[in-house]
Amino acid sequence: MPDSETDGGIDRSRLPDDWTVWSQGEDGRLVLAYRPDVFNAADFPAPCLPTLYLTHGKRTRRPGVNPADTADSADWFVTLYLEPDVSLNETLRFPTREEALERTVALARQFDNGEIDYRSLYQVPREEYFDRLDDLTDGESAE
């Protein structure tokens, strides 16, 4: 996917409508947020705002803190957070930003379509929240 400048360095037409470019760093970092209009503390808990991070160098800190610049890694990483301490349990590492951006967009689509099994990422089940999140995404459950 060409790295279009239409919205924060990403071709906005490739993203599902429910994902927003939250921030873009000059170094190529990108943060996408899922439905910030409903993760507003009234409808859904604000700390549970699903976010996708595209970072240069492995992200070792919680959302909201910029990753340290690491001279030892030229790779790009994609991380999906469901809340600060809950993330997708796979390492998504790519040699180029373009490849990482492709995966970021694909992961945004998977989440939007209800294809991510977020229940398995939680140690303590939150069934009522999961049911509401199922309603928000297009899937009933990825179980």
Side-chain angles (χ1 to χ4, degrees):
M1 167 171 89
D3 203 7
S4 172
E5 294 300 322
T6 55
D7 190 358
I10 186 171
D11 181 352
R12 184 69 179 103
S13 68
R14 300 284 308 268
L15 278 179
D17 290 339
D18 289 335
W19 284 90
T20 300
V21 174
W22 196 256
S23 71
Q24 166 100 27
E26 289 182 17
D27 61 355
R29 269 181 316 189
L30 179 68
V31 179
L32 303 179
Y34 181 76
R35 297 292 309 266
D37 61 317
V38 297
F39 285 88
N40 57 14
D43 299 314
F44 280 87
C48 294
L49 174 69
T51 52
L52 271 164
Y53 283 78
L54 175 99
T55 57
H56 193 225
K58 189 167 185 174
R59 196 177 163 76
T60 58
R61 300 174 191 226
R62 294 181 182 171
V65 178
N66 288 339
D69 292 328
T70 56
D72 62 333
S73 178
D75 291 341
W76 290 85
F77 292 81
V78 177
T79 309
L80 171 64
Y81 286 97
L82 295 176
E83 53 188 86
D85 291 321
V86 180
S87 63
L88 196 59
N89 292 329
E90 58 185 89
T91 300
L92 301 172
R93 182 179 189 159
F94 303 90
T96 67
R97 184 177 188 279
E98 184 175 306
E99 290 174 88
L101 191 55
E102 280 288 336
R103 184 61 179 119
T104 302
V105 171
L107 199 54
R109 282 194 191 118
Q110 285 178 283
F111 186 86
D112 194 53
N113 292 334
E115 298 169 8
I116 302 292
D117 180 15
Y118 40 79
R119 285 172 169 76
S120 68
L121 303 177
Y122 283 81
Q123 290 182 350
V124 177
R126 297 173 52 178
E127 293 305 324
E128 184 177 320
Y129 171 71
F130 293 153
D131 291 343
R132 293 180 64 215
L133 192 54
D134 288 344
D135 291 340
L136 194 59
T137 61
D138 286 339
E140 288 181 25
S141 172
E143 294 182 293

